[in-house]
Structures are given as structure tokens and as C-alpha cells.
Amino acid sequence: MGLKQAVIRGGLESLYFTGAHLALKPLCGGVGAILTFHHVRPPRPDRFQPNHLLEITPRFLTRVVKLLRRSRVDVVSLDEMHRRLTEGDFKRRFVCLTFDDGYRDTLKYAYPILKAAEMPFAVYVATSFADRLGELWWLALEAVIARNSRVGLVIDGKNRAFDCGSLAEKQALYEELYWWLRRRPNDTELRDVARNLAACYSVDIGAFCRDQCMDWPEIAQLAADPLVTIGAHSVNHLTLAKLSDKAARAEIDLSRSVIEAALGTRPQHLSYPFGDPASAGPREFAIAADLGFKTAVTTRPGVIFRSHAGQLTALPRISLNGDYQHLRYVRVLLSGSATAIWNGFRRLEAAA
Ligand SMILES: [Zn+2]
């Protein structure tokens, strides 16, 4: 099947190929790459899925695994990546697989696939999620908008009401409110607004954490496998860059201690919550280095180069999430400008 036909299959299928492009990027540059995953689970029928960017299907993960197996790359643990970077061992390209947040579907769907392939991977755990205290506010926002055709809230001191009966209205409203919340000067305000909104519309904000995140026994099950590295992802999943020096440091340091107390192993690797430049910058990179983490990852997109040996707590990653905005990469592919990726694309087709 040609690439064009594949892409016009539309919907979820085209997202697979979006991911395929990203999967192939590490083969084309640098000494290696770290891939980011959030949810791995079967597709859901709901039309309104604004957080779909955070999930791929088990089927797609299986295809990525097959692709990696056929490629001339080593899938390695974070410790091994650290060794290669610090010792300058770049004989073969490497790929690290990383899962953020500690979702239950990492254990249920991703783990069996990676275990069968004997591929190491890392899970960065936000400890409040495992402690059942996490507020997955972005899912609460999604639920409020999904279940109502009109939503009211106070924005900048004014009562505002939004129609959200149609799918297009829901999508537009989610985008607007999500980014308005993310732009709040601090996460206290963000959480207050989200909590109030959820309460007003009878959405149980705590349920998302209980339903979707692993508890400690589940994390321990993963941690018992030598293939798995458990990393830290802060306590409360806040925008670290908006916190005071002391609070940002405590979020990182405390999460490491909580994981050590729960699992008996002290995490050596960190993932910054959100991980974009507005959430983690030079101050956070310095804190992670000062606290002695071997590596720390952002969500800034990119592959790993030799020079990253000098900035081990500010590593870029490549997201394999089903993010619609990445469809632009597919368009780049279709322009024919990325021949190497095109070739890799065909390999993925063959592997499917
Ligand atoms: Zn996260």
C-alpha cells in the first residue's frame, strides 16, 4: 500500500502514520533518541477526545516494536544510555522508551508487548497519582465539556458562558480553556478553577486518578522486572517553573524519596511534568543535576546528539503520541523532501 493511500485511510489510521514518521526520525539523526509515550490502549469510540494526543494503540506500539527490531538501533535502558553518553560509546544508535505519569495501561497493554520483545523501558511516576491524590485536571475539563452543552465559569473576574453542544464547539472550548488554565500565573489558581468547574458539573476529579493510574502494588509489579526503570516525575505534576526555588526542588526531591520508600530503589532518572520550555528551564535542569539525577528528560522535541553528554538533565524526546498537530509532519513527508524517512515508512508497512 502506498503512503498516500495509507494516509487517506483517515482518523486513527492516519495517526498511526503520524507516529510512524516520528518513530523513524531517530534513525535519521544524532546518536540516538528517547521516545515518549503516555497512554497505550485500544481506541475508544467517543468523537470528542481532546486528549487523544496522549495515547496510541497497542497495535501501533507493536508496529513500532517491530520497526525498532528491524532497524539498526539498540533499544536500551536509561542507565545504558547514560553510560554511552558519558563514555562516548556511539558505535550503534540507541533508542530509549519512556512512559510518563504511571498509567495503568502501561502495565496492562504496553508491558506485555515490550516484555515479549525483551525491550527495556522506563516509567516516570508522579507520586501523588500512585498515592491516589492526583488531580488529572485536563481529564476533568474534558469530561465537563463532553457531558454538557453549555458551560459557565468565572474568567478574569467575569462570569462567562460557553455553548458547547456540537463537536466543533467542544473542541474549540477545550482548546481555549486548556491553554487559559495553563497560562495561569500559578498552579494553585489552575487547580482551583478546575476543581470548582468539576464540582459544579458533578465530575469527580479524583476518579480519573483512581481509574487510570497505577497504585504502588502495580508499580512494584513493573519495578520487579529488570527490563523496567522507575523514574521520578515530581509529586503533584505541577508546572515547576512557576514554583519558588524551594518548592520546585521539593517537588523533585520528595518524589524520589517517596518512590524509594515505596519500592526500595532510589530513582536515578527524572522527567519534568509537562516538560515544555514554560514548565522546565535552566533552573529546573540545575536542580536535577544538583540532586544527583543521572538524566532528566523534557518534552522538547529532538534526537540525542553527542553534545547532550554535557547537558544530561535537559534531554529532548520524541513523542509518539497521536497528536493531531503532528499531521503536519505527514504533510512534510508527502512533499517528498524526507527520503530517508520515506524509506523507513515503507519498512513499517512491510512489518505490519
Ligand atoms: Zn506527565
Side-chain angles (χ1 to χ4, degrees), residues 128-333:
S128 68
F129 294 3
D131 282 330
R132 297 295 177 251
L133 300 168
E135 289 181 319
L136 282 64
W137 58 266
W138 54 95
L139 297 184
L141 178 64
E142 175 181 336
V144 166
I145 295 173
R147 296 173 199 172
N148 295 282
S149 53
R150 194 170 167 82
V151 168
L153 78 163
V154 178
I155 290 186
D156 303 326
K158 289 183 200 128
N159 271 312
R160 299 271 308 271
F162 302 89
D163 286 319
C164 51
S166 72
L167 179 63
E169 284 170 338
K170 287 182 193 298
Q171 281 163 342
L173 181 58
Y174 184 87
E175 276 295 295
E176 185 176 343
L177 292 184
Y178 177 88
W179 287 109
W180 180 76
L181 286 166
R182 285 287 304 274
R183 283 195 304 269
R184 294 304 86 209
N186 58 67
D187 281 34
T188 308
E189 190 182 333
L190 186 168
R191 298 288 175 109
D192 283 348
V193 175
R195 221 174 278 141
N196 285 335
L197 194 62
C200 283
Y201 292 92
S202 305
V203 167
D204 179 359
I205 199 167
F208 301 102
C209 181
R210 294 192 297 273
D211 294 346
Q212 300 198 15
C213 297
M214 288 186 282
D215 58 20
W216 288 112
E218 288 169 314
I219 295 167
Q221 219 178 304
L222 280 180
D225 192 322
L227 283 176
V228 182
T229 300
I230 302 294
H233 194 42
S234 85
V235 175
N236 292 301
H237 208 284
L238 302 172
T239 312
L240 296 178
K242 291 178 186 170
L243 299 176
S244 68
D245 291 357
K246 201 177 153 203
R249 195 182 173 89
E251 271 287 325
I252 298 172
D253 197 17
L254 191 58
S255 72
R256 179 168 63 176
S257 304
V258 171
I259 293 170
E260 185 180 8
L263 304 176
T265 316
R266 192 167 174 79
Q268 311 272 354
H269 305 275
L270 170 74
S271 165
Y272 304 103
F274 304 107
D276 59 312
S279 309
R283 182 190 68 171
E284 287 68 37
F285 305 155
I287 291 173
D290 189 51
L291 287 172
F293 282 96
K294 286 166 87 172
T295 72
V297 295
T298 66
T299 53
R300 296 173 196 214
V303 297
I304 305 294
F305 292 94
R306 290 163 192 264
S307 58
H308 282 110
Q311 47 188 95
L312 288 165
T313 57
L315 299 176
R317 290 189 290 176
I318 290 176
S319 175
L320 275 207
N321 298 341
D323 186 340
Y324 291 98
Q325 70 180 331
H326 291 167
L327 284 174
R328 64 175 176 266
Y329 292 126
V330 178
R331 290 192 198 101
V332 171
L333 274 178

